[in-house]
Amino acid sequence: MSYLEVQNLKKIYTTRFGGNKVQALTNVSFNVEQGEFVAIMGESGSGKTTLLNLVAALDKATEGSIVLDGTDLAAIGDSKAASFRRDNLGFVFQEFNLLDTFTVEDNILLPLVLQGKKASDIKPKAKEVANRLGIADLLGKYPFEISGGQKQRAACARALITDPKIILADEPTGALDSRSSDELLNQFASINAQGQTILMVTHSVKAASRASRVLFIKDGVIFHQLYKGESSDTAFYQKISDTLTMLTTGGDIA
């Protein structure tokens, strides 16, 4: 059994007044092995974010199943979904989602505090994770006092603090400049090298080229996938770019 198994996933949204139905996902199936770094790419409206929201237990599938490390997400009741996310998933968002009234350290510690753990018992964990991400000297600062790249590394630290089964990243480099993006992607590569499973939605070919595998989604289905294998980042970048061109022009993919 794979670490994450997504099988025959379908998602249909009904408009507010029930008049129209929109099929966001048609029939999506894929597996992710423990320790893999998988990127999901596709045009706007292709179903990427819908897919990530379903894996994140933020929404329920119309049909199909999602099983993470033996747990069927469909079996998790609404009352337990929040605690499941807190205990098993780490999130990295495009807009950071840090609380400006909390210090960087308090933002990082928040998931553990929500688990009922005492701040005095868990502060060493915050320092450890901050050291891994190169932001130990920023723990006493507030989000409005640090750069976008530093905010995103703080968000990564917050995602890692609970030792999550999987990190779900939604356009993590979307609000960053080129240098900050490179720094964050280096951190992702380092985190992944230590065994952390990562599933990332991105428009960025550069970001996707750091993953070990890229899934391409089109019209609600997995259209194609590429494995990095022994390719360099540069060679993988070109393969991804060529595939996206074929995806948008309707050409054949070799």
Side-chain angles (χ1 to χ4, degrees), residues 3 34 69 84-90 108 111-112 115 117 125 128-129 132 156-167 191 194-197:
Y3 196 58
Q34 188 169 13
D69 193 24
F84 175 82
R85 288 191 294 271
R86 185 184 63 226
D87 296 342
N88 296 280
L89 310 176
I108 294 170
L112 294 182
Q115 288 180 349
K117 298 180 180 178
K125 184 77 181 283
E128 173 202 334
V129 175
R132 284 171 62 188
C156 286
R158 181 186 57 194
L160 286 168
I161 195 78
T162 58
D163 298 316
K165 291 181 177 178
I166 188 168
I167 284 183
I191 293 165
Q194 294 170 36
Q196 178 65 59
T197 309

Side-chain angles (χ1 to χ4, degrees), residues 59-70:
D59 201 355
K60 297 283 187 180
T62 305
E63 292 181 16
S65 65
I66 303 170
V67 179
L68 175 62
D69 193 24

Side-chain angles (χ1 to χ4, degrees), residues 3-237:
Y3 196 58
L4 173 67
E5 294 189 340
V6 177
Q7 297 295 325
N8 306 120
L9 211 59
K10 180 187 289 187
K11 180 62 181 179
I12 299 173
Y13 292 102
T14 303
T15 55
R16 184 174 180 182
F17 299 104
N20 297 313
K21 292 185 177 182
V22 178
Q23 187 149 334
L25 297 176
T26 302
N27 185 14
V28 172
S29 296
F30 66 93
N31 295 335
V32 176
E33 302 303 326
Q34 188 169 13
E36 243 193 315
F37 182 2
V38 178
I40 301 172
M41 302 194 78
E43 296 179 289
S44 295
S46 61
K48 303 186 305 298
T49 298
T50 296
L51 176 58
L52 199 68
N53 286 341
L54 292 174
V55 175
L58 291 167
D59 201 355
K60 297 283 187 180
T62 305
E63 292 181 16
S65 65
I66 303 170
V67 179
L68 175 62
D69 193 24
T71 299
D72 186 344
L73 270 58
I76 300 170
D78 291 341
S79 62
K80 295 183 178 180
S83 59
F84 175 82
R85 288 191 294 271
R86 185 184 63 226
D87 296 342
N88 296 280
L89 310 176
F91 295 93
V92 181
F93 304 96
Q94 179 175 340
E95 299 298 335
F96 322 128
N97 286 10
L98 299 175
L99 300 175
D100 273 340
T101 55
F102 282 25
T103 63
V104 169
E105 181 178 37
D106 288 341
N107 269 283
I108 294 170
L109 287 173
L110 185 58
L112 294 182
V113 173
L114 291 173
Q115 288 180 349
K117 298 180 180 178
K118 294 181 180 179
S120 58
D121 294 336
I122 56 181
K123 283 197 173 194
K125 184 77 181 283
K127 290 180 180 178
E128 173 202 334
V129 175
N131 275 323
R132 284 171 62 188
L133 291 165
I135 55 170
D137 58 334
L138 303 177
L139 290 175
K141 292 186 177 294
Y142 288 85
F144 58 83
E145 296 179 306
I146 62 179
S147 70
Q150 291 168 333
K151 288 178 185 177
Q152 196 59 296
R153 279 187 277 166
C156 286
R158 181 186 57 194
L160 286 168
I161 195 78
T162 58
D163 298 316
K165 291 181 177 178
I166 188 168
I167 284 183
L168 303 175
D170 189 4
E171 300 286 0
T173 62
L176 303 180
D177 59 33
S178 180
R179 179 179 176 181
S180 296
S181 294
D182 288 343
E183 290 175 351
L184 178 68
L185 293 171
N186 287 339
Q187 295 294 343
F188 268 36
S190 175
I191 293 165
N192 175 243
Q194 294 170 36
Q196 178 65 59
T197 309
I198 303 173
L199 185 64
M200 174 180 69
V201 162
T202 183
H203 279 102
S204 167
V205 177
K206 177 184 278 189
S209 69
R210 304 298 293 272
S212 55
R213 180 163 52 115
V214 181
L215 302 174
F216 298 89
I217 191 168
K218 181 179 182 181
D219 299 329
V221 299
I222 301 296
F223 182 75
H224 190 61
Q225 66 177 333
L226 289 174
Y227 286 88
K228 187 172 189 177
E230 299 301 318
S231 298
S232 65
D233 289 349
T234 302
F236 200 38
Y237 180 104

